[in-house]
Amino acid sequence: MARRTKAQVRADKIAATEARLREEEALLRELKREAAKAEKAEFDAAVLDFGRWLASEVGVDSVEKVAALREALSDPEDLDSLRAFLEAPSTVADDRNDDDGNAVSGTGGSTETDTSEQREDGDGEERSSSKSW
């Protein structure tokens, strides 16, 4: 068997390393695609759930009422108001659980609290009772 030179050994190692990197990059791309699909599916499910919630809250029980609700919500001023609400960082609701597992709704980025709108819990912890919108 013929001896390989140092350059040949290095070239083989480089080729093997590049092949392994290509495989890892392909795997990473596939994982990113799968994560994006999962995120899209979660978003679609949340939108569907929101639509069902909204319909039940306002009493929509027919296709005609769905169309009427859509027409009522399609006012450009109302849509602009909703967009502004969603884009404002201090109005994004942040649902968390306290130590007892009870859901607590916060104001997201707001660091100030209105003490006139707070109540005292049984364990001495203050909670805001006002809605962020």
Side-chain angles (χ1 to χ4, degrees):
M1 184 160 134
R3 286 192 63 146
R4 297 184 326 168
T5 65
K6 286 184 180 182
Q8 290 172 328
V9 170
R10 260 189 249 138
D12 291 344
K13 286 183 181 179
I14 290 171
T17 301
E18 288 174 346
R20 190 184 78 241
L21 285 175
R22 282 191 299 275
E23 290 173 7
E24 289 174 357
E25 288 171 352
L27 179 60
L28 183 59
R29 283 191 303 273
E30 179 63 27
L31 290 173
K32 286 181 179 180
R33 278 192 296 272
E34 289 176 12
K37 285 180 186 179
E39 187 175 323
K40 173 82 167 96
E42 184 179 356
F43 174 77
D44 289 345
V47 168
L48 182 61
D49 184 52
F50 173 73
R52 287 181 177 154
W53 170 83
L54 180 60
S56 70
E57 287 294 313
V58 297
V60 171
D61 58 3
S62 69
V63 174
E64 293 80 20
K65 286 185 179 180
V66 169
L69 177 60
R70 188 176 198 150
E71 181 66 30
L73 293 174
S74 66
D75 178 22
E77 290 181 11
D78 290 340
L79 293 175
D80 288 342
S81 174
L82 288 171
R83 285 183 195 104
F85 172 77
L86 292 174
E87 290 174 0
S90 64
T91 60
V92 176
D94 179 21
D95 288 335
R96 297 168 293 196
N97 288 331
D98 63 8
D99 293 337
D100 299 331
N102 299 323
V104 178
S105 184
T107 57
S110 178
T111 57
E112 298 179 292
T113 56
D114 182 7
T115 55
S116 66
E117 291 288 328
Q118 292 180 345
R119 63 177 172 80
E120 190 75 22
D121 267 2
D123 59 355
E125 190 175 342
E126 288 186 357
R127 300 242 194 280
S128 174
S129 63
S130 65
K131 292 186 179 179
S132 60
W133 49 279

